[in-house]
């Protein structure tokens, strides 16, 4: 799966965990199936824009902010990878 999908899933998981919520709780708030939330968090499914909106509303964010959080995850991971490469090479 693409890194965009993976990073979005990581962002959803981080936001959920910051709130102390279970996958079941996020699923209930966003009107999604718990196993689907798990698949999203593992970066195994490409979510629709409607699903992004449902998750954002549940997490009390704007959809654009939720998507931007995925980009932030990507940036941090790239910086970490670059730092490790600099140490090793």
């Amino acid at each position: 799966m693409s890194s965009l999908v993976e990073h979005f899933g990581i962002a959803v998981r981080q936001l959920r965990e910051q709130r102390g919520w279970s996958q079941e709780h996020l699923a209930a708030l966003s009107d999604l199936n718990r196993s689907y939330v798990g698949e999203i968090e593992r970066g195994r499914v490409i979510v629709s824009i409607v699903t992004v909106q449902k998750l954002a509303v549940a997490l009390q964010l704007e959809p654009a902010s939720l998507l931007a959080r995925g980009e932030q995850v990507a940036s941090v991971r790239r910086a970490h990878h670059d730092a490790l490469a600099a140490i090793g090479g």
Side-chain angles (χ1 to χ4, degrees):
M1 199 59 63
S2 82
S3 61
L4 174 65
V5 173
E6 180 184 348
H7 296 143
F8 178 79
I10 291 168
V12 170
R13 184 179 65 240
Q14 288 175 346
L15 289 163
R16 175 183 59 78
E17 289 177 346
Q18 285 173 3
R19 286 158 174 76
W21 296 350
S22 65
Q23 286 182 346
E24 290 84 3
H25 187 71
L26 177 57
L29 290 174
S30 56
D31 194 31
L32 298 170
N33 184 285
R34 200 258 349 129
S35 63
Y36 186 57
V37 170
E39 293 291 309
I40 293 168
E41 290 185 357
R42 287 188 293 281
R44 301 221 174 142
V45 293
I46 299 171
V47 300
S48 72
I49 195 163
V50 172
T51 299
V52 171
Q53 181 179 19
K54 286 180 174 186
L55 290 166
V57 168
L59 293 163
Q60 300 174 333
L61 298 170
E62 292 295 321
S65 296
L66 180 54
L67 292 169
R69 179 66 183 249
E71 287 298 314
Q72 290 171 349
V73 168
S75 294
V76 168
R77 292 185 83 172
R78 276 192 299 273
H80 182 72
H81 179 268
D82 292 347
L84 289 176
I87 291 169

